[in-house]
């Protein structure tokens, strides 16, 4: 049941991605409306799929990395729908939805991993740890998309040869605001998520921090985001620099995910 | 039946030397409109007269005659030989006239595609003709739809979105950098006309405060008054670089006056806030290379012209979308127009059969005084469904025939067959 629902949601996301990209090129409002509706529909079905999955498993559907990826996609769609409305930026979907589709499709294709968790992992802590970390990461998907859009628009403005993207992308100011908002949204979640993870590692394994590739890399990503926030607050970093760090931070997160999937460690499935 | 037509000349067919000969003032235009209707050549008429087009929109049995008469009257005023106009005039009727009208209103036929004035001009022309009572139901329907289409084109395409003047292109760039210009401060250096114009546009968009620097203190004060700004002594403007968001330069200085080192110095205290230079001076007032500094954008007059050119290309691209939209609207308008042609016939046909049905049902019930409610209802329903079944195919056929342009012979035949009175109804 939940697999059918999940496939439906994925199909909607992939369709919405295609429409959003067509809208980026053609800029017809009808196409944007269709993309938006499809995204919303996909999100509702996705929500159902997650609930059904949770009921079937008798625990939150966050036990494995692959399950968690699906939740990241789910939350990223939610944040994006919100930001599109909040900032009136119709092309946001064209930059976030491809990532969501890639996340969703790879989550569907990867082996689901162990569904029975080791006893050490059965604790309320872990759900807090994973939920918060995933919410943080999905906000950083938005942060990354905003950063990429900023860098593209800035390049257009510097080059003084307005191309297609110049007309389609919103102002630098708007993009900076989206990027910053996503950063301030994601950072507390990620911080708390990592903190809970570390605390719980001490309870389960007796040490705060033993060698685990995913944990190490996620701390690296956290440091990048912390530096961006600090730079903003103290040195007034905005615009290009903030956008650049949004991309670097997301790169670190992608590495983290890759490490979790490929390298053995406590997070591996 | 009289035909809808449009006839005239525009920047596409006639040189300005001819167009200017045909411009007449409003009073004269009123007179011509009234006269045209009075002669009976046209039943409805309206004239659009701008510097780029002189066009007669009307309803006439013989559009050729109407056009000859209209342009003789328009030219009379300045002694233009009407035969010399003949080769320059175009005439369109039916769906083509509708398409022309929609395209004009949507600014697709303008010299600068998407320029907004034309819509106001045709609205005025329409109001003028309405005032003279030369607008009838057909022109009314045509133009109300045309105004609707123009609005649709404006909201659904970006035909008129991007600036095609240098000073406005600068404002648009500023908006691409700063988003809203509310509360963005501007420094204007020099007294060039174009610089002042750009500054005015910025003020219109909410930019504030405005600082004005000029070598002549009096001139600085004057311009500051015009822009509701503050004059700054000329040798003190570099100090303002740290605080302002937009700098417009248009001086007659032979050398750049904004130096890279000045800007670099200002950047240290700006904390990554973007700084936008609009350099309209020739020779340039802003040293090249400043654009390479982080968070600084510097456009000179050639850069701005380049932006204008790509804006024009963008408009042409949007124009294709708008053309498709207009085409759809024309098809809808024409189809619906044909429907309108047969609607009165359909209505009288229905009324006729309904009358017969009621009469016959009443007669039958008179002979059945004992009939209970259920029987009465059943008879009513039975007769109704027979009428509807019989009418279904003729009505569908009638609608179809009207779309293929043969509605008239069909309506006449139906009026004959069912004895619906006169062959034609008023519109």
């Amino acid at each position: 049941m939940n697999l059918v629902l999940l496939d439906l949601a994925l199909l909607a996301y992939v369709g919405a991605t295609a429409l959003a990209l067509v809208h980026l090129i053609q800029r017809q409002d009808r196409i944007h409306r269709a993309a938006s509706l499809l995204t919303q529909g996909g999100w509702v079905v996705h929500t159902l799929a997650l609930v059904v999955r949770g009921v079937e498993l008798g625990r939150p559907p966050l036990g494995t990395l692959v399950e968690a990826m699906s939740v990241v996609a789910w939350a990223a769609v939610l944040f994006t729908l919100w930001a599109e409305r909040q900032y009136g930026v119709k092309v946001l979907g064209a930059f976030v939805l491809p990532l969501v589709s890639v996340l969703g499709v790879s989550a569907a294709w990867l082996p689901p991993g162990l569904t029975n968790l080791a006893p050490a992992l059965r604790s309320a802590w872990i759900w807090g740890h994973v939920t918060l970390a995933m919410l943080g990461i999905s906000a950083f998907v938005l942060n990354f998309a905003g950063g990429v859009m900023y860098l593209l628009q800035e390049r257009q403005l510097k080059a003084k040869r307005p191309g297609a993207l110049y007309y389609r992308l919103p102002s630098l100011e708007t993009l900076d605001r989206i990027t910053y908002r996503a950063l301030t949204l994601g950072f507390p979640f990620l911080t708390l998520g990592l903190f809970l993870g570390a605390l719980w590692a001490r309870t389960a394994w007796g040490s705060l921090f033993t060698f685990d590739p995913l944990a190490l890399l996620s701390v690296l990503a956290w440091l990048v985001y912390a530096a961006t926030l600090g730079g903003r607050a103290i040195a007034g970093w905005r615009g290009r620099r903030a956008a650049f760090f949004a991309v670097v931070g997301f790169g670190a997160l992608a590495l983290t995910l890759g490490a979790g999937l490929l390298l053995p460690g406590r997070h591996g499935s | 039946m009289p035909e809808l037509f449009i006839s005239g000349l525009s920047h596409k067919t006639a040189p300005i030397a001819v167009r200017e000969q045909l411009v007449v003032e409003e009073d004269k235009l009123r007179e011509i409109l009234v006269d045209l209707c009075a002669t009976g050549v046209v039943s409805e008429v309206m004239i659009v007269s701008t510097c780029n087009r002189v066009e007669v929109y009307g309803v006439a049995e013989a559009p050729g005659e109407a056009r000859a008469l209209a342009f003789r009257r328009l030219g009379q005023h300045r002694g233009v030989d009407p035969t010399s106009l003949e080769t320059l005039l175009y005439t369109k009727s039916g769906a083509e006239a509708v398409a022309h009208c929609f395209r004009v209103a949507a600014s697709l036929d303008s010299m600068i595609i998407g320029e907004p004035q034309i819509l106001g001009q045709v609205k005025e022309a329409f109001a003028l003709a309405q005032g003279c009572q030369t607008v009838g139901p057909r022109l009314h329907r045509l133009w109300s739809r045309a105004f609707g289409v123009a609005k649709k084109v404006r909201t659904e395409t970006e035909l008129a979105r991007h600036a095609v003047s240098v000073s406005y292109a600068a404002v648009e760039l500023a908006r691409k950098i700063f988003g809203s210009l509310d509360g963005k401060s501007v420094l204007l250096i020099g007294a060039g006309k174009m610089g002042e114009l750009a500054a005015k546009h910025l003020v219109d968009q909410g930019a504030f405060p405005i600082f004005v620097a000029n070598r002549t203190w009096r001139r600085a004060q004057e311009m500051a008054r015009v822009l509701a700004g503050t004059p700054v002594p000329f040798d003190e403007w570099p100090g303002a670089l740290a605080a302002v968001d937009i700098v417009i330069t248009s001086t007659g200085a032979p050398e750049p006056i904004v130096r890279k080192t000045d800007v670099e110095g200002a950047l240290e205290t700006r904390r990554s806030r973007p700084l936008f230079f609009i350099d309209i001076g020739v020779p340039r007032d802003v040293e090249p290379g400043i654009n390479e500094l982080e968070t600084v954008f510097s456009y000179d007059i050639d850069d701005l012209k380049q932006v204008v050119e790509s804006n024009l290309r963008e408009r042409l691209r949007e124009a294709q979308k708008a053309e498709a939209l207009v085409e759809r609207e024309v098809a809808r308008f024409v189809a619906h127009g044909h429907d309108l042609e047969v609607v009165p016939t359909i209505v009288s046909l229905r009324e006729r059969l309904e009358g017969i049905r009621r009469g016959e049902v009443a007669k039958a019930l008179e002979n059945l005084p004992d009939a209970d409610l259920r029987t009465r209802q059943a008879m009513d329903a039975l007769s109704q469904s027979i009428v509807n079944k019989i009418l279904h195919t003729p009505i569908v056929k009638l609608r179809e025939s009207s779309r293929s342009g043969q509605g008239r012979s069909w309506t006449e035949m139906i009026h004959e067959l069912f004895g619906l009175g006169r062959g034609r109804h008023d519109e």
Side-chain angles (χ1 to χ4, degrees), chain B residues 26-59:
Chain B
E26 252 180 44
D27 282 339
K28 187 80 190 157
L29 217 49
R30 281 203 191 89
E31 200 181 295
I32 297 177
L33 286 172
V34 172
D35 284 359
L36 282 173
C37 270
T39 57
V41 175
V42 292
S43 55
E44 299 178 31
V45 68
M46 143 178 179
I47 297 175
V48 175
S49 168
T50 74
C51 50
N52 282 332
R53 66 183 64 250
V54 179
E55 291 176 334
V56 178
Y57 293 81
V59 178

Side-chain angles (χ1 to χ4, degrees), chain A residues 167-181:
Chain A
Y167 295 105
R168 287 151 177 79
L169 292 173
S171 68
L172 291 180
E173 172 67 24
T174 305
L175 291 171
D176 192 47
R177 287 225 304 272
I178 294 176
T179 313
Y180 183 55
R181 188 75 193 85

